[in-house]
Amino acid sequence: MKGFTSKAIHGVVLKKDPHGALRFPLYDNAAFEADSAHDLELMFQGKKASHVYSRISNPTVEDFEQKVRLLSNAFGVVAVASGMAAISETVIALAGAGSNIVTSRFLFGNTVSLFESTFKRWGLEVRYADMTDTVSIEAAIDERTRLVFLEVITNPQLEVADIAVVSSIAGKHDVPVVLDGTLTTPYLFRSRDRGVAVEIISSTKYISGGATSIGGLIIDNGVFNWKKSPALADEAGKVGPGALVSRLRREVNRNVGACMSPHNAWLQSLGLETLALRVDRSSENALAVATFLSAHPRVRAVNYPGLPGSPGHDVAVRQFGGKAGGLLTFELGGKEECFRFMDSLTMVRRATNLNDNKSLILHPASTIFADYPAEEREKMMVSERLLRLAVGIEDKEDIIDDLSLGLEKL
Ligand code: PLP
C-alpha cells in the first residue's frame, strides 16, 4: 500500500474487532477494567500494554494516531484536545522558565497570545526572528534556546519559509524545529523529509473533514536526538527515541488533561480518509478564486502562495509540489468596504474557521487580531484592508459568482 489515500482509508490494523466491524468502533468510555488486581498494577506500571483510562489513552484515539503516524512516516503521534493544546503541550515538554524559544512575528493570533501572555508569565523568553532570513534566525538562537517554532504557511500573512533551511540552522545548534503544519497537513508537506523534529497540527481544520470537531496532533518525526534536549535528556536516557512521546503520555498530556475525546478521534479518522481529495479540490478552487480576484479592478492586492507573483510562490511550489491549500487573502479599500463586501455574500459564510468544506470569510483585524493595537497589527501585516478567505470545496464557479456579485455591489 503506497498511496496516501489508500493508507488513510485502511490505516494500521492493531487489533481485529471481535465483531468484525469494518470501521474502527467508537470506544466512548472513560475506564478499562483489569482481570485481576495484579494485572491492574502491571497496567499502571506500563508493564502490561493495555488502556487504563481515556485521558491517558483510548483505542479509538490510538487508531486515529496510528493512521496519522503512517501518513506522516513519523515515529509517534499523540492526539490532543485542540491545535492550541498541541502547541501548549509541546512547548511545556521542551522548554521552561529561564529558557527561550525562537519564533516568527507572523503567527496565528492565539499562538501569539499563548507565547506573549501565558508562557511569558511562567518565565519563558520569547524571541522573534524573520524565518525567511538565515542571519536573523541564527542571531536569535543561543545556548538557552529550546526550540524554533514556525508555521508552514503563516496565518494570515501567507509567508512561506524554506523549512529545510530553518531546520539546518536550528540543527547546527542542536535545537529542534517545531512546525505548525495545519495549513498543509502531511498530504501537501512531508515535514520529516525537511528535518522538522515535531509537527503540530490543528486537526480541527483540514483533517476533521468539514469542521465536525476540535482536535490537535503532536507528531514526533523521529529525526531529532532527544538526548540533546535539556528537558528530555533524562527521559531519552531511559526510553531512547520515544522520549517526547513518553514525556507527553506519561506526564504532560496526562497531567494537563487536554486529551482528544474518542468521539472526535472517530470523526477525524473518517475525515482523514478523504483528506487528499479535499485538499486537492480546495487548492484547485483557491487558485481559480485568486486568479479571478487578482484581475478584478476593485481588489487592491491578492496573496495566495499558489498564485504566480505572490511572495511565497516559489518556495511553495518547491515545498508543496504545486498545490498550496485553500487559504488566501485580499485587500479592499478599508474596514468599512470589507464589512459591506462580507455582508453582501450569500454563499460564502462569515466565520472564523478555515479548511472547512464551506468557503469562509473573515476580517482578521477586527476579530482574531482585535486585541492588538493598530501598530502591532501593522507589524504582523494585518491591516484594516485585509480579508481572509478560506476557500472550500464547493463548485468553484459558485464561489466566484458569489464574490463577483459582492464586488459589483461595492
Ligand atoms: N494553528 C493554526 C495555523 C490555526 O489556524 C489554528 C486555529 O485557527 C490553530 C493553530 C489552533 O487550532 P485549534 O482551534 O484546533 O485549537
Side-chain angles (χ1 to χ4, degrees):
M1 208 164 50
K2 289 205 187 99
F4 188 91
T5 296
S6 308
K7 287 183 188 167
I9 290 173
H10 295 286
V12 184
V13 182
L14 290 174
K15 222 184 223 178
K16 201 168 173 342
D17 179 66
H19 302 286
L22 198 48
R23 171 163 301 289
F24 196 90
L26 167 53
Y27 285 86
D28 214 357
N29 59 308
F32 300 83
E33 65 175 344
D35 288 337
S36 66
H38 180 57
D39 268 4
L40 194 58
E41 183 184 29
L42 294 178
M43 282 154 68
F44 261 74
Q45 289 169 344
K47 290 183 183 156
K48 181 172 177 183
S50 178
H51 299 285
V52 175
Y53 190 66
S54 288
R55 171 158 49 73
I56 300 160
S57 72
N58 169 282
T60 311
V61 178
E62 185 183 24
D63 177 61
F64 178 51
E65 290 170 340
Q66 289 303 323
K67 268 188 179 171
V68 174
R69 190 184 62 73
L70 181 71
L71 294 173
S72 320
N73 194 21
F75 175 84
V77 175
V78 179
V80 293
S82 65
M84 290 315 301
I87 300 170
S88 307
E89 291 196 11
T90 305
V91 175
I92 291 170
L94 296 176
S99 67
N100 70 63
I101 63 171
V102 170
T103 189
S104 163
R105 288 245 167 238
F106 295 168
L107 290 172
F108 168 58
N110 289 166
T111 309
V112 178
S113 169
L114 174 73
F115 291 169
E116 278 293 319
S117 308
T118 316
F119 282 145
K120 269 196 177 169
R121 268 207 306 276
W122 287 85
L124 182 72
E125 187 193 346
V126 182
R127 297 179 165 200
Y128 292 95
D130 176 350
M131 292 293 160
T132 62
D133 175 4
T134 52
V135 177
S136 163
I137 306 169
E138 189 100 51
I141 297 177
D142 70 5
E143 71 288 350
R144 289 181 178 275
T145 304
R146 297 295 175 257
L147 62 96
V148 171
F149 182 94
L150 78 161
E151 292 175 7
V152 66
I153 301 175
T154 72
N155 171 13
Q157 305 82 4
L158 308 179
E159 180 183 87
V160 189
D162 188 324
I163 310 291
V165 170
V166 178
S167 298
S168 83
I169 299 170
K172 273 203 286 178
H173 298 268
D174 292 333
V175 170
V177 169
V178 178
L179 179 80
D180 181 337
T182 300
L183 265 55
T184 46
T185 78
Y187 175 60
L188 281 189
F189 184 63
R190 291 305 185 98
S191 63
R192 184 181 191 277
D193 300 345
R194 311 283 171 140
V196 169
V198 182
E199 180 171 352
I200 72 90
I201 292 181
S202 164
S203 52
T204 315
K205 309 292 187 286
Y206 260 140
I207 290 178
S208 78
T212 56
S213 48
I214 302 279
L217 293 159
I218 304 172
I219 302 171
D220 179 351
N221 278 327
V223 297
F224 190 81
N225 179 357
W226 294 118
K227 286 192 177 135
K228 294 178 175 169
S229 159
L232 287 186
D234 57 336
E235 191 78 18
K238 284 187 240 151
V239 303
L244 176 64
V245 172
S246 164
R247 176 61 57 85
L248 289 167
R249 279 205 200 289
R250 299 181 67 80
E251 187 201 304
V252 181
N253 189 42
R254 189 192 66 183
N255 294 352
V256 170
C259 57
M260 174 172 275
S261 85
H263 187 245
N264 289 5
W266 191 86
L267 286 169
Q268 300 197 359
S269 253
L270 185 58
L272 205 54
E273 295 187 4
T274 54
L275 176 67
L277 311 180
R278 291 180 286 102
V279 173
D280 281 348
R281 170 84 168 205
S282 68
S283 298
E284 185 192 317
N285 283 357
L287 180 58
V289 169
T291 307
F292 159 77
L293 289 172
S294 58
H296 199 285
R298 299 297 305 229
V299 177
R300 295 178 172 213
V302 180
N303 189 3
Y304 176 57
L307 188 72
S310 279
H313 182 67
D314 293 347
V315 191
V317 170
R318 237 184 309 126
Q319 283 188 161
F320 316 135
K323 295 167 194 163
L327 200 67
L328 61 87
T329 61
F330 60 101
E331 287 182 22
L332 297 179
K335 179 178 174 184
E336 196 259 336
E337 199 169 294
C338 288
F339 275 30
R340 260 194 294 129
F341 173 71
M342 286 175 70
D343 290 345
S344 71
L345 299 173
T346 56
M347 187 185 82
V348 174
R349 310 292 184 93
R350 293 164 288 271
T352 183
N353 203 14
L354 49 95
N355 303 143
D356 191 335
N357 293 338
K358 300 182 177 81
S359 294
L360 306 176
I361 195 159
L362 169 115
H363 181 252
S366 63
T367 54
I368 300 173
F369 291 88
D371 288 348
Y372 300 94
E375 63 274 19
E376 278 295 311
R377 281 203 301 264
E378 285 296 329
K379 275 192 219 152
M380 295 188 241
M381 286 177 59
V382 179
S383 84
E384 297 276 332
R385 298 181 301 280
L386 192 76
L387 283 169
R388 186 186 84 177
L389 179 65
V391 180
I393 61 170
E394 302 99 332
D395 297 286
K396 56 177 176 279
E397 298 76 14
D398 288 327
I399 307 170
I400 292 172
D401 273 358
D402 201 21
L403 299 172
S404 174
L405 283 172
L407 288 168
E408 269 168 37
K409 285 185 199 153
L410 286 180

Short mmCIF file of all heavy atoms in Angstrom, two decimals, residues 138-172:
data_model
loop_
_atom_site.label_atom_id
_atom_site.label_comp_id
_atom_site.label_asym_id
_atom_site.label_seq_id
_atom_site.Cartn_x
_atom_site.Cartn_y
_atom_site.Cartn_z
N GLU A 138 19.71 32.77 13.02
CA GLU A 138 20.98 32.43 13.67
C GLU A 138 21.25 33.38 14.84
O GLU A 138 21.68 32.95 15.91
CB GLU A 138 22.10 32.55 12.61
CG GLU A 138 23.42 32.02 13.05
CD GLU A 138 23.71 30.62 12.51
OE1 GLU A 138 23.58 30.43 11.30
OE2 GLU A 138 24.07 29.75 13.32
N ALA A 139 20.94 34.67 14.63
CA ALA A 139 21.23 35.67 15.67
C ALA A 139 20.33 35.48 16.90
O ALA A 139 20.71 35.84 18.02
CB ALA A 139 21.03 37.08 15.10
N ALA A 140 19.14 34.91 16.69
CA ALA A 140 18.20 34.79 17.82
C ALA A 140 18.49 33.56 18.69
O ALA A 140 18.12 33.52 19.86
CB ALA A 140 16.77 34.71 17.28
N ILE A 141 19.15 32.56 18.12
CA ILE A 141 19.38 31.31 18.87
C ILE A 141 20.59 31.46 19.80
O ILE A 141 21.63 31.99 19.40
CB ILE A 141 19.63 30.14 17.88
CG1 ILE A 141 18.39 29.90 17.02
CG2 ILE A 141 20.01 28.87 18.63
CD1 ILE A 141 18.55 28.80 15.97
N ASP A 142 20.44 31.02 21.04
CA ASP A 142 21.61 30.94 21.92
C ASP A 142 21.56 29.63 22.72
O ASP A 142 20.75 28.76 22.42
CB ASP A 142 21.74 32.18 22.83
CG ASP A 142 20.66 32.24 23.89
OD1 ASP A 142 19.87 31.28 24.01
OD2 ASP A 142 20.60 33.26 24.62
N GLU A 143 22.41 29.52 23.73
CA GLU A 143 22.50 28.22 24.44
C GLU A 143 21.26 27.93 25.28
O GLU A 143 21.07 26.80 25.75
CB GLU A 143 23.80 28.12 25.27
CG GLU A 143 23.91 28.98 26.50
CD GLU A 143 24.11 30.49 26.20
OE1 GLU A 143 24.36 30.88 25.03
OE2 GLU A 143 23.99 31.27 27.16
N ARG A 144 20.40 28.94 25.46
CA ARG A 144 19.17 28.70 26.23
C ARG A 144 17.95 28.46 25.33
O ARG A 144 16.82 28.38 25.79
CB ARG A 144 18.88 29.90 27.15
CG ARG A 144 19.86 30.00 28.28
CD ARG A 144 19.53 31.17 29.18
NE ARG A 144 20.46 31.21 30.30
CZ ARG A 144 20.30 30.52 31.41
NH1 ARG A 144 19.25 29.75 31.58
NH2 ARG A 144 21.19 30.60 32.38
N THR A 145 18.18 28.41 24.04
CA THR A 145 17.05 28.18 23.11
C THR A 145 16.65 26.71 23.13
O THR A 145 17.49 25.84 22.94
CB THR A 145 17.45 28.60 21.68
OG1 THR A 145 17.88 29.97 21.72
CG2 THR A 145 16.28 28.46 20.73
N ARG A 146 15.37 26.48 23.35
CA ARG A 146 14.90 25.09 23.47
C ARG A 146 14.14 24.59 22.24
O ARG A 146 13.95 23.40 22.05
CB ARG A 146 14.00 24.94 24.71
CG ARG A 146 14.73 25.22 26.01
CD ARG A 146 15.83 24.17 26.27
NE ARG A 146 16.59 24.52 27.47
CZ ARG A 146 17.81 25.06 27.45
NH1 ARG A 146 18.43 25.30 26.30
NH2 ARG A 146 18.43 25.36 28.58
N LEU A 147 13.65 25.53 21.43
CA LEU A 147 13.01 25.14 20.17
C LEU A 147 12.83 26.35 19.27
O LEU A 147 12.81 27.49 19.73
CB LEU A 147 11.66 24.45 20.42
CG LEU A 147 10.55 25.24 21.11
CD1 LEU A 147 9.59 25.86 20.09
CD2 LEU A 147 9.74 24.31 22.01
N VAL A 148 12.72 26.06 17.98
CA VAL A 148 12.35 27.10 17.00
C VAL A 148 10.95 26.74 16.52
O VAL A 148 10.71 25.59 16.12
CB VAL A 148 13.34 27.12 15.81
CG1 VAL A 148 12.84 28.04 14.70
CG2 VAL A 148 14.73 27.56 16.27
N PHE A 149 10.04 27.69 16.62
CA PHE A 149 8.64 27.42 16.25
C PHE A 149 8.24 28.29 15.06
O PHE A 149 8.45 29.50 15.06
CB PHE A 149 7.72 27.75 17.44
CG PHE A 149 6.26 27.45 17.16
CD1 PHE A 149 5.72 26.23 17.53
CD2 PHE A 149 5.45 28.36 16.51
CE1 PHE A 149 4.39 25.93 17.26
CE2 PHE A 149 4.12 28.08 16.22
CZ PHE A 149 3.59 26.85 16.61
N LEU A 150 7.65 27.66 14.05
CA LEU A 150 7.11 28.45 12.93
C LEU A 150 5.92 27.75 12.30
O LEU A 150 5.69 26.56 12.55
CB LEU A 150 8.19 28.74 11.88
CG LEU A 150 8.58 27.64 10.89
CD1 LEU A 150 9.28 28.29 9.69
CD2 LEU A 150 9.51 26.62 11.50
N GLU A 151 5.17 28.51 11.50
CA GLU A 151 4.03 27.96 10.76
C GLU A 151 4.46 27.71 9.31
O GLU A 151 5.20 28.51 8.73
CB GLU A 151 2.85 28.94 10.78
CG GLU A 151 2.27 29.09 12.18
CD GLU A 151 1.17 30.16 12.28
OE1 GLU A 151 0.75 30.71 11.24
OE2 GLU A 151 0.76 30.45 13.41
N VAL A 152 3.93 26.64 8.75
CA VAL A 152 4.35 26.23 7.40
C VAL A 152 3.95 27.27 6.34
O VAL A 152 4.72 27.60 5.44
CB VAL A 152 3.83 24.81 7.09
CG1 VAL A 152 2.31 24.76 7.00
CG2 VAL A 152 4.44 24.25 5.83
N ILE A 153 2.71 27.76 6.46
CA ILE A 153 2.27 28.94 5.70
C ILE A 153 1.66 29.82 6.79
O ILE A 153 0.74 29.38 7.47
CB ILE A 153 1.18 28.61 4.66
CG1 ILE A 153 1.68 27.58 3.65
CG2 ILE A 153 0.70 29.87 3.95
CD1 ILE A 153 0.61 27.10 2.65
N THR A 154 2.18 31.02 7.00
CA THR A 154 1.72 31.77 8.18
C THR A 154 0.30 32.28 7.95
O THR A 154 -0.10 32.59 6.83
CB THR A 154 2.68 32.93 8.52
OG1 THR A 154 2.53 33.96 7.54
CG2 THR A 154 4.13 32.47 8.58
N ASN A 155 -0.43 32.35 9.06
CA ASN A 155 -1.85 32.69 9.03
C ASN A 155 -2.03 34.01 9.76
O ASN A 155 -1.82 34.05 10.97
CB ASN A 155 -2.62 31.55 9.71
CG ASN A 155 -4.08 31.86 9.95
OD1 ASN A 155 -4.62 32.82 9.42
ND2 ASN A 155 -4.74 31.03 10.76
N PRO A 156 -2.40 35.13 9.11
CA PRO A 156 -2.88 35.22 7.73
C PRO A 156 -1.90 35.86 6.74
O PRO A 156 -2.32 36.24 5.65
CB PRO A 156 -4.09 36.16 7.91
CG PRO A 156 -3.61 37.15 8.94
CD PRO A 156 -2.67 36.40 9.84
N GLN A 157 -0.60 35.97 7.08
CA GLN A 157 0.30 36.70 6.16
C GLN A 157 0.67 35.85 4.94
O GLN A 157 1.14 36.38 3.94
CB GLN A 157 1.57 37.12 6.89
CG GLN A 157 1.35 37.95 8.14
CD GLN A 157 1.02 37.09 9.36
OE1 GLN A 157 1.03 35.86 9.31
NE2 GLN A 157 0.71 37.73 10.47
N LEU A 158 0.53 34.53 5.08
CA LEU A 158 0.83 33.58 4.00
C LEU A 158 2.30 33.63 3.58
O LEU A 158 2.63 33.45 2.41
CB LEU A 158 -0.12 33.78 2.81
CG LEU A 158 -1.61 33.77 3.17
CD1 LEU A 158 -2.48 33.99 1.94
CD2 LEU A 158 -2.03 32.49 3.86
N GLU A 159 3.15 33.88 4.58
CA GLU A 159 4.59 33.80 4.31
C GLU A 159 4.99 32.32 4.30
O GLU A 159 4.51 31.54 5.12
CB GLU A 159 5.35 34.52 5.43
CG GLU A 159 6.86 34.48 5.25
CD GLU A 159 7.58 35.15 6.40
OE1 GLU A 159 7.86 34.47 7.41
OE2 GLU A 159 7.87 36.36 6.30
N VAL A 160 5.88 31.98 3.38
CA VAL A 160 6.33 30.59 3.30
C VAL A 160 7.86 30.58 3.43
O VAL A 160 8.57 31.02 2.53
CB VAL A 160 5.93 29.94 1.94
CG1 VAL A 160 6.22 28.44 1.98
CG2 VAL A 160 4.46 30.19 1.63
N ALA A 161 8.33 30.07 4.57
CA ALA A 161 9.79 29.97 4.76
C ALA A 161 10.28 28.66 4.16
O ALA A 161 9.50 27.72 3.99
CB ALA A 161 10.11 30.01 6.26
N ASP A 162 11.58 28.62 3.85
CA ASP A 162 12.18 27.37 3.38
C ASP A 162 12.47 26.53 4.63
O ASP A 162 13.42 26.81 5.36
CB ASP A 162 13.45 27.68 2.59
CG ASP A 162 14.01 26.43 1.93
OD1 ASP A 162 13.90 25.35 2.54
OD2 ASP A 162 14.55 26.55 0.81
N ILE A 163 11.64 25.53 4.86
CA ILE A 163 11.69 24.81 6.15
C ILE A 163 13.01 24.04 6.31
O ILE A 163 13.55 23.95 7.41
CB ILE A 163 10.50 23.84 6.28
CG1 ILE A 163 9.16 24.54 5.98
CG2 ILE A 163 10.47 23.20 7.67
CD1 ILE A 163 8.69 25.55 6.95
N ALA A 164 13.53 23.49 5.21
CA ALA A 164 14.79 22.73 5.31
C ALA A 164 15.92 23.65 5.77
O ALA A 164 16.80 23.24 6.54
CB ALA A 164 15.12 22.09 3.97
N VAL A 165 15.89 24.90 5.32
CA VAL A 165 16.93 25.86 5.72
C VAL A 165 16.80 26.16 7.21
O VAL A 165 17.79 26.14 7.97
CB VAL A 165 16.83 27.16 4.87
CG1 VAL A 165 17.72 28.25 5.43
CG2 VAL A 165 17.17 26.87 3.41
N VAL A 166 15.56 26.39 7.68
CA VAL A 166 15.33 26.66 9.11
C VAL A 166 15.82 25.46 9.93
O VAL A 166 16.51 25.61 10.95
CB VAL A 166 13.84 26.95 9.39
CG1 VAL A 166 13.60 27.18 10.88
CG2 VAL A 166 13.35 28.16 8.59
N SER A 167 15.49 24.24 9.47
CA SER A 167 15.90 23.04 10.22
C SER A 167 17.42 22.92 10.28
O SER A 167 17.97 22.52 11.31
CB SER A 167 15.37 21.76 9.55
OG SER A 167 13.99 21.76 9.54
N SER A 168 18.08 23.27 9.19
CA SER A 168 19.53 23.08 9.22
C SER A 168 20.20 24.11 10.13
O SER A 168 21.16 23.77 10.84
CB SER A 168 20.12 23.06 7.80
OG SER A 168 20.32 24.36 7.35
N ILE A 169 19.67 25.33 10.18
CA ILE A 169 20.25 26.32 11.11
C ILE A 169 20.01 25.87 12.56
O ILE A 169 20.93 25.86 13.38
CB ILE A 169 19.64 27.73 10.91
CG1 ILE A 169 19.94 28.22 9.50
CG2 ILE A 169 20.18 28.71 11.95
CD1 ILE A 169 19.18 29.46 9.12
N ALA A 170 18.77 25.47 12.87
CA ALA A 170 18.46 25.03 14.23
C ALA A 170 19.30 23.80 14.58
O ALA A 170 19.82 23.69 15.69
CB ALA A 170 16.97 24.73 14.35
N GLY A 171 19.45 22.90 13.61
CA GLY A 171 20.21 21.66 13.82
C GLY A 171 21.66 21.93 14.19
O GLY A 171 22.24 21.22 15.01
N LYS A 172 22.23 22.99 13.61
CA LYS A 172 23.63 23.33 13.93
C LYS A 172 23.79 23.63 15.41
O LYS A 172 24.85 23.46 15.99
CB LYS A 172 24.04 24.59 13.15
CG LYS A 172 24.58 24.30 11.75
CD LYS A 172 25.45 25.46 11.26
CE LYS A 172 24.60 26.66 10.89
NZ LYS A 172 25.24 27.85 10.46
#
